[in-house]
Amino acid sequence: MSDRTSLTLKESRYLALMYRTQVEEGERVTTTTLAKSFKVNPATVTEVLQKLAEKGLIEYVRYYGARLSERGILEAQKLLRKHRILEVLFVKFLRYDAKKACEEASKIDFYCSEELINTICKTYGHPEKCPCNKKIFRDPTCLSVVS
Amino acid sequence: MSDRTSLTLKESRYLALMYRTQVEEGERVTTTTLAKSFKVNPATVTEVLQKLAEKGLIEYVRYYGARLSERGILEAQKLLRKHRILEVLFVKFLRYDAKKACEEASKIDFYCSEELINTICKTYGHPEKCPCNKKIFRDPTCLSVVS
DNA sequence: TAAAAATGTTTGGTTAATCCTAAATTTTTC
DNA sequence: GAAAAATTTAGGATTAACCAAACATTTTTA
């Protein structure tokens, strides 16, 4: 059986989307919204939300909606950090445009280690914004500068 | 249901290992060998081999062993190409040592698009060897040079 | 060469992640 | 407050991975 706390790919996608709606856009996260975004049946969303609540990543109120917990926010930021650092790499190093960079980042962000991401981050001098100008979150362990 | 031909992560790992034993070391691939390598029960290996045979990627003879088919060889080379190109990137760009580069590449190789890999390949002038000196296979569609 | 040992397969499970439909429940809206 | 809309529950299905134990085959060895 898997950790009672580790995230699956889909779960992490839910968190990231919830982060963008709740924190970056200040809107309530509803089941229907998520269902539409992920093109799944609302019943599926409910299931995932319950799982995320069990794992302590969201506070979930039946028939109302969900809100990221402290830990949920941190997890979402971790994924978004990975995603955005990869975007920086793809734009700067491979000269991809922002859209393509985003697409390719989406395929691997979840699987990249934090260590790898931090190395890239250092290489680019700890960038603060991704190519589409969104904030890149700090990782407190990612501070030194490449000599 | 998934494609009758597409590969899962584990299946692709089996192919890559079979490639290394069969093609690069000229040895027979046995169920036990695979079971030990992947630390799984032999019964699990048999299952995967049957699946790979169904998908036309290996020729599988009960009680004897398996041998990669033409298509299996191509698939294995695709994955190994991705893996090795990533190693080049991590060693040259991030100054990782070969071992660390291999570890990090293993986490994402399967998920990287061929297009991404080809862009990296071009950027490094179509390298022919990975940091541990193994051959990097050519992708016929990866020919042009970055201007 | 026959029995023992090693190897490999089959059978019959388990678990986890995703997803669905239909029915039931709750909330919202008119 | 009743109908409409949103959400959840109940009950399933599928697929990927895995395992143990029983069985089959091949190989070794005495």
Side-chain angles (χ1 to χ4, degrees):
Chain A
M1 105 202 45
S2 70
D3 266 61
R4 279 164 293 323
T5 47
S6 68
L7 285 175
T8 68
L9 174 61
K10 295 279 173 170
E11 283 170 352
S12 82
R13 298 275 179 248
Y14 275 66
L15 288 184
L17 183 54
M18 290 172 76
Y19 185 90
R20 295 215 306 271
T21 6
Q22 177 188 309
V23 181
E24 297 185 346
E25 288 160 27
E27 276 168 36
R28 183 155 77 99
V29 183
T30 67
T31 301
T32 311
T33 308
L34 290 167
K36 278 184 189 146
S37 303
F38 293 116
K39 298 191 170 72
V40 295
N41 193 294
T44 303
V45 173
T46 301
E47 254 181 39
V48 176
L49 294 183
Q50 289 170 341
K51 205 75 202 283
L52 287 170
E54 268 176 35
K55 293 184 180 176
L57 296 160
I58 64 173
E59 282 140 36
Y60 168 61
V61 179
R62 272 158 81 248
Y63 294 105
Y64 174 77
R67 130 173 294 134
L68 292 166
S69 68
E70 279 292 309
R71 286 190 42 232
I73 288 175
L74 289 177
E75 279 301 326
Q77 287 178 343
K78 266 190 208 172
L79 184 71
L80 289 169
R81 170 179 164 78
K82 288 180 182 180
H83 183 85
R84 290 170 187 173
I85 289 287
L86 287 170
E87 287 179 330
V88 170
L89 176 70
F90 295 158
V91 166
K92 293 205 178 181
F93 188 66
L94 302 180
R95 296 156 193 266
Y96 275 9
D97 64 38
K99 185 165 171 256
K100 182 125 221 98
C102 179
E103 284 168 17
E104 295 293 333
S106 297
K107 291 174 191 159
I108 60 173
D109 51 9
F110 178 74
Y111 303 101
C112 289
S113 73
E114 283 171 38
E115 195 187 337
L116 176 68
I117 296 301
N118 285 350
T119 310
I120 301 168
C121 185
K122 283 173 204 163
T123 301
Y124 283 113
H126 307 284
E128 299 189 344
K129 303 267 184 170
C130 75
C132 24
N133 225 38
K134 292 193 192 121
K135 181 178 180 180
I136 295 178
F137 307 103
R138 283 283 174 77
D139 174 345
T141 71
C142 181
L143 287 173
S144 65
V145 176
V146 169
S147 61
Chain B
M1 100 203 51
S2 67
D3 266 62
R4 278 165 295 320
T5 48
S6 68
L7 285 176
T8 68
L9 173 60
K10 295 280 173 170
E11 285 169 351
S12 81
R13 298 277 177 248
Y14 274 65
L15 288 184
L17 182 54
M18 291 173 75
Y19 185 89
R20 295 216 305 274
T21 8
Q22 177 187 308
V23 181
E24 296 185 345
E25 289 160 24
E27 275 168 38
R28 186 154 76 98
V29 184
T30 68
T31 301
T32 311
T33 307
L34 290 166
K36 279 183 188 147
S37 303
F38 292 117
K39 299 190 171 75
V40 295
N41 192 295
T44 304
V45 173
T46 301
E47 253 181 37
V48 176
L49 293 182
Q50 288 169 343
K51 205 76 203 281
L52 287 171
E54 268 176 34
K55 292 182 180 177
L57 297 161
I58 63 173
E59 283 140 35
Y60 169 61
V61 179
R62 269 158 86 248
Y63 293 106
Y64 175 77
R67 128 174 296 134
L68 292 165
S69 69
E70 278 292 308
R71 285 191 42 231
I73 289 175
L74 289 176
E75 278 303 324
Q77 288 179 342
K78 265 191 206 171
L79 183 71
L80 289 170
R81 171 179 162 80
K82 286 180 183 181
H83 182 84
R84 292 170 185 172
I85 290 285
L86 288 170
E87 288 179 328
V88 169
L89 175 71
F90 295 158
V91 166
K92 293 206 179 181
F93 188 66
L94 302 179
R95 293 157 194 265
Y96 275 9
D97 64 37
K99 186 166 170 254
K100 182 129 222 96
C102 179
E103 283 168 18
E104 294 295 331
S106 297
K107 290 173 191 158
I108 60 173
D109 50 10
F110 179 74
Y111 304 101
C112 290
S113 73
E114 284 172 36
E115 194 186 337
L116 176 68
I117 296 300
N118 286 349
T119 310
I120 300 169
C121 185
K122 282 174 205 161
T123 302
Y124 282 114
H126 307 284
E128 300 190 341
K129 302 268 184 168
C130 75
C132 23
N133 224 40
K134 291 193 193 121
K135 180 174 183 183
I136 295 177
F137 306 102
R138 284 281 175 77
D139 174 344
T141 69
C142 182
L143 287 173
S144 63
V145 176
V146 169
S147 60

